[in-house]
Every structure is written in structure tokens, then in C-alpha cells.
Amino acid sequence: MTVPFPDRTAAGPPPGCPAHGRPAPLYGPGLDGDNLSALYERLRAEHGPVAPVALAPGIHVWLVMGYRELLHLAREEQDFSHDPRRWNLLREGRVPADSPLMAFVGWRPALMFADGQQHRRMRAAVADALDRIDGHELRRTVRATAERLIDSFARRREADLVPHYAHKLPVQVIAQMLGVDDRTGQQLAEAVAGTAAANADSAHASRRMENVLLALIREKRRRPGPDVTSRLLEHPARLSDEEVLHNIVVMIVAGNQTTKNWIATALRVLLTDPALRSSLTGGHLTVDDALDLVLWRFPPTQNFPARYAVRDMRFGGRDIRAGDMLVLGLAAANTDPEVLPDDGRPVTGNRAHVAFSAGPHTCPAQDPARLIARTAVDTLRHHLPDMELAVPEERLAWASSPWTKGLAALPVRFTAPQPDLAAVPQGDPR
């Protein structure tokens, strides 16, 4: 048995497989908003850094919540694989083929599901394609998209910033980065929303998204342009069309959902935390500082799938079997008392959070994601400086998901759109 570091399990039930006892469910309508944070702390107190949880009825896995344990999980490919075909529940036929989970953990020829050389080959292509994005051009694209969305609701003097702004902006920007026209971009946005919903229609939405992208890839093979899709196709790594397709799917689903939640949560924090808003207005904090505090305290991806044990081992005080799934508890690891200051508050400017994961699979798109989030927040603050919540904070609605902590709604009101926006004809934000 491998013991990667000393056992620091809290007193509780004896260690065993995730099916031992009744694993806490990471699904259901009760798990949203601040309830998730309370669940992580209860699990930490009962089980220590690695806890048994259920992603769906009968789907028992391990949630890795310790900061040190999560870094080990993310960095050590000799102990933990990214290939879901190793998952013992899947190999034993205990995961329904139509389970919404398969939209996130089903194997594809993409960097998220590969190890070693295969992962490095695909990551090189993706990272190079993203690195060639012109930051100034991307900023202009985000600002223009943001202003277009703001124009659509500015005259109403009220809006729900989740469906009308945070939900629409990232996928529209990503579509432009991929070289997609407006009509196709709308089809893509609808399919992405259906895939991310993690419900019974997710598989159908995923297929619709793949069909849109296959048509895009065929078009870019014929007529390449200055876009991410063409760069992937032209890269010396020589990705197949299927590999290009599935790496774009990963970029879209992960990038859109994460950035959407990041923008919406940052706006919520600015609307509900007067001290933070004052520090930002007074120049004591930057928007980037506020975005980093969000990544520490409310990471847009709460839990990330997944790693699979390559052999039996002792890990985080638990007996892990070969083929067990281990979920990266990013939000819980960020609040591990062993790595936070004594007051439990992250230090401004500290980017040692694991919101973008860690190790070889650290998110390659975090720089463009930050630029998109920063520009989206800045543009909205500039044009609607007097916006305020339209409902009490405790009445905000949350979306339930085992993977993300996202607002379902963020209704605001404002009294004085800037003159340059007021002159724009009213649009329909729906």
C-alpha cells in the first residue's frame, strides 16, 4: 500500500470504500449556495481530507478536500489517471449509459482524459492556440459584446445579470475565438447551455454541440483563418479532426461554465460587500484582486472530475481501491484550515488557490478567462455604476450541481444608464 503523506484523518467512521455507510449526496435541490460550504466543513469534520460522497444514487466516489492531498492528486500521474475507462463502477456496468454524469466523465480523445505523452501532445496544441490570442483584440471583443448585451436591457432600468449578461457573454466570446459566425454561435450557445444543465437532455445537447463543431472543423479545413480552431488544425502535434472536436468541446464547456460563474459571483460580491466595493472604488483594490478573492472564497468550479486510482493505496486516511474515482474538491481545498491564515481569510494578491486545478492539467485557458471576466465586470461597472440588488441577498436563487456553485439569478436595478447607452434602441434580453 502507498501512503503518500501522514494520515490526518479526523476521528470518525473507520476508513473504507466510498460505499461504506451512507455517503453524503452531492446532488439534489438542497445543495446550493452556502449549503455547499457547510457540507464541506461537515464532511471534513467527520472524515478528514478525503470523504465518501455520492454523485448520483448508487454512484459513490471520493471527494478530496485537503489542500495537500488535492495537490498530490493533481500532480502525481503515476498514482492517479485521468482516463475514465479505468473507473471501476463504469467497468462493472453500474453507471447507466444515459446518466447525465457521462456528459462530464465519459471518455473522449481530449486532453482532460489523457495521461503522459498523449496529454502533453494535445495540451501543447491547445496551449499554443490559446497563447496566440491577441489580448488587445480579445479585450475589444469582450467589451463590444458586453456593451451590446448591456444595450439590450439598459432602458429597462432592471435586469437579471445571470441569463442576460453572465450567461451570454462568455459563450459568445468563445464562439468568436473559435471562428464561428453569429448564427452558428447562437446554435452553439444553446447546445452548450443544454450540455451544462446536467439533466436528462444533456446527452442530446452534447450531440447537437458536436454536430455544430464538426461542421466548423470541416469549414476551417477548407478555409483556415486567424482563430483557435484553425490553429489547432494546423498545429505540428497533428491532431485528428476527432481530437480537435473533443478538445474544443472541453474548452467550451469548461471555459463557458467557469467564466459565467466567475463573472456572476464577482458581481454578486461587489453588490453585497460594501467594504470590498468601497476598496475597489477608492483604488485600494483592483478588479483582479476582487476576482482572486472570488476564486478563493467562491470558486466557480466547486468540484472537478476526476482522477482514477491506478492501484490500491492508502490516501488521505482512506483505503482507496484501484479504479476508484476521486473528485477534486477545489472549493473545499481552498478553505482547508491547514493552509489559510489564522483568521481563515485569504490574503489579497495570493494566487495559491486551486480554482484552476494544479499540476500538468492546470487550466491552460486561465489567462483569457481572467481577461474575459475582468473586462466583463469593468464594462458593466462603468456603464451601470449605480446598480444595486433588486432582492435581498438571502433570496438569491442558486443552480444545483455537483460541479459548480452558480447563481441561477442576479436581479439588479439601476436608475441612470450612461448617455451613450441611452441613445441605443432597446433590445430584447431574452
Side-chain angles (χ1 to χ4, degrees), residues 66-68 70-71 75 288 291-293 295-297 299 329-336 338-341 346-359 362 366 370:
Y67 184 90
R68 290 182 300 152
L70 189 139
L71 291 183
R75 291 171 175 170
D288 269 321
L291 290 174
D292 278 317
L293 288 172
L295 292 178
W296 271 108
R297 294 162 55 190
L330 306 179
N334 275 353
T335 57
D336 187 341
E338 294 210 358
V339 299
L340 287 179
V347 177
T348 302
N350 182 350
R351 292 187 179 176
H353 56 73
V354 291
F356 291 111
S357 190
T362 301
Q366 54 185 292
R370 179 180 290 273

Side-chain angles (χ1 to χ4, degrees), residues 120-130 231-232 235 237 239:
R120 289 190 288 274
R121 182 179 72 88
M122 288 190 281
R123 185 182 175 91
V126 171
D128 289 350
L130 293 172
R231 291 167 192 153
L232 287 174
H235 195 272
L239 270 59

Side-chain angles (χ1 to χ4, degrees), residues 126-148:
V126 171
D128 289 350
L130 293 172
D131 286 345
R132 290 174 60 188
I133 294 172
D134 184 315
H136 298 292
E137 181 62 31
L138 179 58
R139 187 177 295 107
R140 285 192 290 270
T141 298
V142 178
R143 185 179 296 116
T145 304
E147 291 179 341
R148 193 162 57 245

Side-chain angles (χ1 to χ4, degrees), residues 28 38 57 64 78 111 114-115 131 148 204 244 289 334 341 346 348 366 392 419:
V64 179
Q78 76 273 15
L111 75 171
D115 300 316
D131 286 345
R148 193 162 57 245
H204 300 293
V244 171
D289 291 331
N334 275 353
T348 302
Q366 54 185 292

Side-chain angles (χ1 to χ4, degrees), residues 253-263 295 300-301 355-356 369 404:
V253 174
N256 175 67
Q257 190 71 11
T258 299
T259 310
K260 176 189 99 171
N261 287 342
W262 197 5
I263 293 168
L295 292 178
T301 300
F356 291 111
T404 63

